[in-house]
Amino acid sequence: MGFGLTIGVLGVLILSHAAYSTIQYRGLLKITEDEFNGAPMNVVVELILGFLLCMYAGLTVPGNFQSIHPASKENRIVSLSENLDFIIFNHRGRVVLSDSNMKLKL
């Protein structure tokens, strides 16, 4: 198990504990007949920590970002699929490309 995935699982566990703590706090308020004005400060800190850990895992676990620039050499199609029946060249994207200065290379 990678480091980023472990951090993500820990973040999800912290978020789950914060949700459980909030539900438990609201149940306590119902018993004491107090008004709910917001979550306690320790739950808010748990939420922020869990969110940051999940964001870190979400950005590191999938891998490196790739360039989406059309002129990038990383985005070239190496080979076409064997089933060419589902390739459509007449679609709404042609209108978008005709408005800009980019040309469709076929």
Side-chain angles (χ1 to χ4, degrees):
M1 195 189 282
F3 179 71
L5 190 59
T6 306
I7 294 295
V9 169
L10 182 66
V12 168
L13 289 175
I14 289 174
L15 286 176
S16 300
H17 183 265
Y20 179 75
S21 296
T22 303
I23 292 169
Q24 191 176 19
Y25 178 70
R26 292 204 49 178
L28 178 68
L29 289 179
K30 285 182 183 178
I31 292 172
T32 60
E33 297 178 357
D34 289 335
E35 186 176 326
F36 181 75
N37 294 328
M41 193 59 174
N42 62 346
V43 174
V44 173
V45 170
E46 279 186 36
L47 286 172
I48 292 171
L49 180 65
F51 174 73
L52 291 176
L53 291 176
C54 286
M55 285 297 292
Y56 175 78
L59 292 174
T60 58
V61 168
N64 296 332
F65 288 114
Q66 305 238 341
S67 174
I68 60 169
H69 194 271
S72 175
K73 293 183 180 179
E74 298 172 355
N75 295 342
R76 299 292 171 232
I77 298 175
V78 176
S79 63
L80 292 174
S81 62
E82 295 180 15
N83 191 357
L84 299 177
D85 294 336
F86 295 104
I87 296 178
I88 300 172
F89 293 105
N90 291 326
H91 52 78
R92 289 181 246 167
R94 182 171 280 180
V95 176
V96 174
L97 291 175
S98 66
D99 291 343
S100 66
N101 58 3
M102 295 171 42
K103 299 297 179 193
L104 183 63
K105 295 179 184 177
L106 295 177

